[in-house]
C-alpha cells in the first residue's frame, strides 16, 4: 500500500501552516485513492499535547487515515555546500514514504553536505527542501520543484517569494541560495552560490553538458 508523510513544525504549543498541510494531505488522498472525506490533524493530536520547544510533528497517512504520529525535538542540519546532481527522470510529486529515487541521488553527494537536483537543466529541490535564490533584491523559487512544499506555497501566497524558471546556467546570476521547508524558514539556511559545486564526473561528457558545467563554474 502507498503511504505518505507530513512533517510539521510545532512551537509554543502551535502547529505552523496547519491549513497548508491538511490541504496537501487531503489533495493527495483524493488524487491517489479518490477519497473525498476531509481528514483533520487536530482530530488525532490535541493542542494540549503540543510541546513548547521547536519540534517536528510527523505522521504517516494512507487510504485508511492518519497513524504513526510522533513529535520529537528538532535540530537543523548544518549545510555549507551543495552538489549538483542530474536526473531527467526523477519524479516525487507527493511526500511519499518511499524516497528510494532521492536516496540514489544522495549517493552522488561526495564531500558536500547536500545535493541540488537538476532535471532537464532546471533547478528543482534538494533531497529534503525547496530552494530559493537571491539576486540582490528579491528571492525567487524555481517553477519546477519536485515537490511543491507547504512553506513554499505559504511564502508565494504572502508575496515573499516569486516563482521563476531557473536553469542551471542561470545560477551565476544570483548571489545566494536558501534552503527551506516546513521546519526551516526562508533565510535560516543561506549559502553563497559559489558553494554550489559541479557534478562529480564519472563518465564521458557530451559537448553540451561540458559547456553547461563550465558556465556554472564561471
Amino acid at each position: 500500500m502507498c503511504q505518505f508523510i507530513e512533517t510539521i513544525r510545532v512551537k509554543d504549543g502551535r502547529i505552523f501552516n496547519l491549513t497548508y498541510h491538511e490541504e496537501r494531505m487531503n489533495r493527495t488522498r483524493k488524487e491517489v485513492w479518490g477519497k473525498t472525506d476531509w481528514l483533520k490533524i487536530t482530530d488525532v493530536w490535541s493542542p494540549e499535547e503540543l510541546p513548547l520547544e521547536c519540534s517536528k510533528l510527523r505522521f504517516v497517512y494512507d487510504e485508511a487515515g492518519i497513524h504513526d504520529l510522533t513529535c520529537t525535538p528538532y535540530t537543523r542540519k548544518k549545510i555549507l555546500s551543495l552538489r549538483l546532481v542530474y536526473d531527467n527522470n526523477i519524479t516525487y510529486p507527493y511526500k511519499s514514504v518511499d524516497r528510494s529515487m532521492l536516496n540514489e541521488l544522495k549517493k552522488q553527494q561526495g564531500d558536500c553536505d547536500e545535493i541540488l537536483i537538476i532535471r532537464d537543466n532546471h533547478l528543482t529541490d534538494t533531497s529534503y527542501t525547496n530552494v530559493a535564490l537571491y539576486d540582490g533584491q528579491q528571492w525567487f523559487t524555481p517553477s519546477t520543484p519536485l515537490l511543491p512544499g507547504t512553506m513554499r506555497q505559504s511564502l508565494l501566497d504572502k508575496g515573499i517569494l516569486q516563482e521563476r524558471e531557473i536553469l542551471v546556467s542561470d545560477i551565476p546570476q544570483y548571489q545566494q541560495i536558501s534552503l527551506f521547508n516546513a521546519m526551516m524558514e526562508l533565510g535560516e539556511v543561506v549559502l553563497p552560490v559559489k558553494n554550489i559545486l559541479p557534478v562529480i564526473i564519472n563518465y564521458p561528457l557530451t559537448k553540451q553538458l561540458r559547456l553547461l558545467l563550465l558556465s556554472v563554474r564561471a
Side-chain angles (χ1 to χ4, degrees):
M1 176 186 289
C2 295
Q3 291 186 316
F4 304 96
I5 57 174
E6 285 293 327
T7 53
I8 306 174
R9 185 183 184 192
V10 171
K11 189 176 182 181
D12 298 328
R14 182 165 70 92
I15 299 176
F16 283 70
N17 285 338
L18 175 62
T19 301
Y20 288 91
H21 287 285
E22 288 187 340
E23 194 281 331
R24 178 169 65 181
M25 172 178 61
N26 287 288
R27 183 180 68 248
T28 298
R29 293 181 77 244
K30 182 176 182 180
E31 292 177 358
V32 175
W33 296 294
K35 305 295 286 187
T36 56
D37 55 316
W38 190 268
L39 297 183
K40 297 180 67 175
I41 296 168
T42 51
D43 286 342
V44 293
W45 195 281
S46 169
E48 290 77 20
E49 301 176 273
L50 297 175
L52 295 179
E53 69 272 15
C54 186
S55 302
K56 179 168 68 174
L57 176 63
R58 181 189 186 277
F59 61 84
V60 176
Y61 67 94
D62 51 31
E63 188 175 8
I66 297 173
H67 51 90
D68 295 343
L69 281 85
T70 59
C71 192
T72 56
Y74 177 71
T75 302
R76 176 164 46 84
K77 291 194 292 187
K78 189 174 184 179
I79 305 294
L80 298 178
S81 59
L82 301 173
R83 175 77 64 189
L84 292 177
V85 298
Y86 291 73
D87 189 337
N88 291 342
N89 298 313
I90 189 169
T91 59
Y92 191 69
Y94 303 110
K95 194 172 176 63
S96 174
V97 170
D98 181 7
R99 291 175 49 87
S100 55
M101 295 184 75
L102 295 171
N103 292 337
E104 279 299 309
L105 290 181
K106 284 281 285 180
K107 295 177 181 178
Q108 302 178 40
Q109 182 172 306
D111 58 356
C112 289
D113 300 313
E114 180 53 42
I115 59 173
L116 179 56
I117 302 166
I118 308 300
R119 183 178 60 192
D120 295 325
N121 293 331
H122 288 76
L123 267 67
T124 64
D125 299 325
T126 73
S127 71
Y128 74 109
T129 72
N130 293 132
V131 299
L133 287 90
Y134 186 65
D135 68 354
Q137 295 184 323
Q138 174 70 49
W139 286 102
F140 294 94
T141 193
S143 58
T144 51
L146 295 179
L147 178 71
T150 55
M151 178 66 78
R152 179 182 183 274
Q153 190 58 54
S154 173
L155 294 171
L156 287 170
D157 289 346
K158 294 173 182 175
I160 297 172
L161 267 185
Q162 298 295 319
E163 194 176 52
R164 171 185 285 183
E165 180 185 37
I166 303 178
L167 300 175
V168 66
S169 56
D170 295 331
I171 292 175
Q173 301 176 18
Y174 296 91
Q175 299 175 10
Q176 298 174 314
I177 184 169
S178 179
L179 281 58
F180 63 95
N181 60 20
M183 299 301 301
M184 302 188 309
E185 296 183 4
L186 178 69
E188 249 186 272
V189 178
V190 179
L191 291 70
V193 294
K194 68 179 182 179
N195 288 17
I196 304 173
L197 303 182
V199 63
I200 298 174
I201 303 301
N202 294 316
Y203 50 85
L205 289 178
T206 64
K207 181 178 179 181
Q208 182 182 12
L209 184 54
R210 187 183 301 279
L211 291 173
L212 191 61
L213 294 175
L214 286 174
S215 71
V216 174
R217 295 181 192 184

